[in-house]
Amino acid sequence: GAVLASAAGATAALAQDRDDILGGFEDEDETFAVDEEALDEAEPRWWDVSGSVELSGSINYRSHRSDTGTDYTGLQRLRLRGNLALDVVLPELAYFRDGRIRAEGWGFWDPAYLINGRSDYTEPLLDLYGLDGEVGEMWIQGKLHDRVDLKLGRQVVIWGRSETLRVLDVLNPLDNREPGRVDIEDLRRPLGMLKLSGYAGPWSLDLIAVPEIRFDRSPVFGSDFYPAVFLPNPAPPPARVPFLPVERKPEDFEDAELAARVLGIFPGWDVSFHAAWFWNDAPRIDSFPATGPSADPRSPLGDLVHDRLWLVGSGGNWTLGSWLLKYELAYVDGLGFATVPDRKGRLDALLGVEYYGFTDTTIVFEVANRHLIDHEPGVRSLPNFVREDQQELALRISRSFLRERLDVMLLAFALGWDASDGSLVRFDVSYDVRDALTVGVGILPFQDGDIPPITRIGRNDRLLFSVKWSF
């Protein structure tokens, strides 16, 4: 109290001295010039453009071929990608305050396929990996009321607490064209949705409608990750393309998804409750052998379909000193399988711990178990390959050096308690050459698993490199 009183007295004395000094100018009719240009520059802009240009590559250092016969040894990726984003602050309106607009897009070109010879690759692969681009997040958001927010457009909604695994985070599909290779900021694909949020004390409620239907981007025929175990007698390109199943997709707007979340945030902990009516991002074979509209005597495969699923669940965080404990729990219903007539339910549970006790270091360990209710032998066999209980384990260790200019990250992921169903390890080192320029190198080895199609990726190991300029 004495210290505060002394400081207050000193402040008052300085103010008095300033008034006395300036008082000598009060009777003078002086006009002080104002630099309007400088004032304009000092004011925050109502718009901003940002983006990046990145060259990223992969070298396969182990000799191997895809199931189509393509040699994947050596240079596999040399992708030049550009990202551009525009952010706009909207003027204040009576019934729409704190308004913002965001629009972003990206595109890439990969000359690696031209260097290696385009004729060695399938058309589906060249279409998806050689040249691509799309509109990313594009939304408008603002306050309709002091306690009501609206967000409309393509956006990403992250429900889960996990750094790596997915239990509650089911709304946005993923870009899995190169498993383990895609950086986290590019992993989730935005969806066109309407999100209405209301707030009351520590609680909030999100109501979400998703009219745009998009699914995971997965390895295609011709990739060294493609599960060609299902295909009969694949031949080297360009001789022929085996018969591929037809994917039946839901329609935009007609087959919209719905979701809701209640979130409570309290000192040291939080809890949430979730419900969703959505489409399974991963397609499945409708019948085996084929009996659907695309049935063909040349192939035992049926159509690929997406199941309509229900989810109810809960998640939470709890901080304890340098520790963060978290959980996710979800019941998913409506899962179909090619060789079993009845739909199944599944109980997913995740536990995780994060530790921040070491300087500039984060350690995250997570484990999830997916238990299929009413499991039967047909679910375990071809073409389903689903166990009654499937474990997923993830360890992530990251550390910064040289005043946060050098970042090191280790990610290990395993299927099964003993990694018997497959695993991968990714080790990355990135260095900020300057504020906007980052270079990185890494390694990404894989281990085969007992369950197809992971039985065929053990030699897909890659050396990684990248150069990224941001603006």
Side-chain angles (χ1 to χ4, degrees), residues 81 83-85 102-107 133-139 153-156 172 185-186 188-192 212 214:
R81 170 169 171 153
N83 292 63
L84 190 64
R102 182 173 180 84
E104 66 173 15
W106 58 265
E134 67 176 35
V135 175
E137 289 193 79
M138 180 174 286
W139 44 256
R154 270 196 174 178
Q155 53 191 289
V156 172
N172 289 95
E185 66 265 20
D186 300 321
R188 296 179 180 89
R189 304 183 68 198
L191 285 175
E212 183 182 24
R214 306 175 81 199

Side-chain angles (χ1 to χ4, degrees), residues 54 87 91 101 158 174 179:
E54 180 181 17
D87 291 281
I101 291 178
I158 302 174
L174 303 180

Side-chain angles (χ1 to χ4, degrees), residues 144-207:
L144 302 179
H145 184 271
D146 288 341
R147 297 187 178 183
V148 180
D149 291 349
L150 173 71
K151 191 173 184 180
L152 175 64
R154 270 196 174 178
Q155 53 191 289
V156 172
V157 174
I158 302 174
W159 270 5
R161 270 73 173 175
S162 171
E163 294 287 327
T164 308
L165 311 179
R166 303 186 86 196
V167 171
L168 293 173
D169 189 24
V170 298
L171 292 185
N172 289 95
L174 303 180
D175 188 337
N176 269 329
R177 284 177 280 190
E178 294 181 67
R181 181 64 177 85
V182 179
D183 294 329
I184 189 66
E185 66 265 20
D186 300 321
L187 188 61
R188 296 179 180 89
R189 304 183 68 198
L191 285 175
M193 61 179 74
L194 171 65
K195 179 182 174 186
L196 195 64
S197 303
Y199 304 91
W203 294 97
S204 64
L205 169 65
D206 293 333
L207 300 177

